[in-house]
Amino acid sequence: MNKPSEIRKKFLQFFETKGHIIIPSAPLIPENDPTVLFTTAGMHPLVPFLLGQPHPAGKRLANVQKCIRTVDIEEVGDTIHNTFFEMLGNWSFGDYFKEKSINWSWEFLTTKKWLGLDPNRIAVSCFAGDEDAPKDEDAADIWRRIGIKDDKIAFLSKDDNWWGPAGQTGPCGPDTEIFYWIDEDNPAPKKFDPIDNRWVEIWNNVFMEYNKTKAGKYEPLTQKNVDTGLGFERLVMVLNQKRSIYETELFTPLNVILQKHTKKTDIKSERIILDHTRTAIFLLSEKLTPSNLEHGYVLRKVIRRAIRRMRNLEIKDYQDLFKKLTHELINGKNFDYPYIDYYPELKTNENFIVDELVKETVRFEKVLEKGIKEFNKSAEQIKQKIKDPNKQVLSGRLAFKLYDTYGFPIEITKELADEKNIKVDIKGYQKAYQQHQELSKQATEGKFKGGLADHSEITTIYHSLTHILHSVLRKTLGSHVEQKGSNITAERLRFDFSHPGKLTLAQIDEIQTQVNRIISRDLEIIKEKMALDQALAKGALGLFADKYGDKVTVYTIQNKQTGEIYSTEICGGPHIKDSQNIGSFKIIKEESSSAGIRRIKATVILNPKRSTSVRDWGSRN
Ligand code: GLY
């Protein structure tokens, strides 16, 4: 048995014997690199040194880097793809180049002292050459000298045998990839066929000698570098003769827990749950919170996809399973692989990880069933209306609605559609999404035009929204929240309130969701005059009460159908009278206003089909 912790140790030891300094893993969320969302390889944090800046630890480094890659998210569920993984890597900054790099990879993989893999099961690929760089005969010759036969060397194009840059620009170069034949029942074929998935790529040696410029040109770097990446999960799999990474000790303790929660078997769902939960735990350990933006959205996506898959396995208590998996990964006695020794942030932030998983689960649970119902209904209609299975397509508009209203990442909608053999109009979805973004942007920038000629209406809507926001803030953050100021223009509302600290992204998201939930309803706003005492007894917020004399006006915003009260405030108006589906409310800024006072700026994208009637236009009682 090749223990994961032993393999890890051996790799670092090997490169120490070759004069490398071991550096710690960088965070998953890059600190100073806006060109990428996540660290997808060990070389990311090293870009300045690949470009020529001297590294304080020298010219030879190695490490184990935690990585997130989501380009292959739809492949997760097969035997080898992950969204979170660890990468073993070694680097040369203008020091050794192809000869040493390739020979060391071979030595580490095949000698008995180190990993002792069977040389007959190894094949390689090299860069085939194109207008940017020549065919990599140097690398192939090194392999030939090692003893690799020509039949086991494939020359492939830039799509396969070129690495980088990590963002749009930066260091890059041809690479040579090392494949291992994993089929234990059959000997490795004489000829290497990269298409056969029993050849699994395990190690990539990149020869970074180019810099890709903004203009798309490949310029030679001042120094020739080496950047390698050896996928840890795959290596553990190969060394333990497993057919999938999920059968390795990196996953089996988590799988034992998962199996206790379900009686159903669905390997793909099981793998997605294990992979995505691990990814979520690691992202949360860096204090990221789920949101609808960039990093936070990826986190939301993996959590929601995992939940959807739990539903497929008829698991009811998503929260409980997340809690147990987190506990096992962080504290589990069954793990040979002590993640917390390598990544102490997991332990430090354990409570945060669990809390955020629970919160996101609560949010998604609220809409999941409704969203699936809506999807099923539409799928049924499509199937009834369109008989030709090739033409059964879910519209982009509906896919966007599932995203916008029910929080379904498009991948979930695609999976649901796949299960029913329906296609999704992804282009249409992207168009609807972009239109929405554009509208938000225009509104944010105050450029919104058309359909909103009457400023009285929008400012009145903002006034009523301010009341709803106020009460949602008190419900979400606590009753210490008091209005400290408000300002409304045709483009936005501004609301100042007492609160001791910055709002988290999760809080902002929750507030936004709650306001949106309320304004999507059928609302009526009741205006009553009463004595101040009476209003206060009714629980009306009356922050400027003394302004209004003995008799005050109280506005109550309530659900027309159920009578549920969302806000009661003493106020001079004006307000809307009733409304249905106002539109989409968005917080565009949260900042400090002064000590102990926060400021929110928010906007609304009005629904063209809303029905709103306005009371007291322009009059203030
Ligand atoms: N940077 C090399 C690799 O990720 O394969």
Side-chain angles (χ1 to χ4, degrees), residues 116-184:
L117 284 173
D118 179 358
N120 295 317
R121 288 173 174 263
I122 288 178
V124 301
S125 62
C126 297
F127 179 53
D130 62 13
E131 63 281 4
D132 298 319
K135 184 174 181 185
D136 199 353
E137 281 293 355
D138 294 347
D141 277 342
I142 298 167
W143 285 119
R144 288 183 191 112
R145 285 200 293 278
I146 283 174
I148 303 280
K149 299 269 178 292
D150 273 315
D151 270 351
K152 293 268 178 63
I153 304 176
F155 284 93
L156 303 175
S157 72
K158 217 186 224 117
D159 284 348
D160 294 294
N161 275 80
W162 187 275
W163 211 90
Q168 298 298 312
T169 58
C172 56
D175 66 45
T176 179
E177 301 187 0
I178 306 172
F179 292 75
Y180 196 75
W181 179 256
I182 60 163
D183 184 353
E184 286 296 317

Side-chain angles (χ1 to χ4, degrees), residues 6 10 177 352 385 471:
E6 282 301 313
K10 273 190 184 169
E177 301 187 0
F352 175 84
K385 263 200 220 145
S471 89

Side-chain angles (χ1 to χ4, degrees), residues 327-343:
H327 184 267
E328 182 64 25
L329 189 132
I330 295 179
N331 306 301
K333 298 280 171 283
N334 299 322
F335 265 110
D336 150 66
Y337 196 66
Y339 276 112
I340 53 170
D341 289 357
Y342 312 132
Y343 307 107

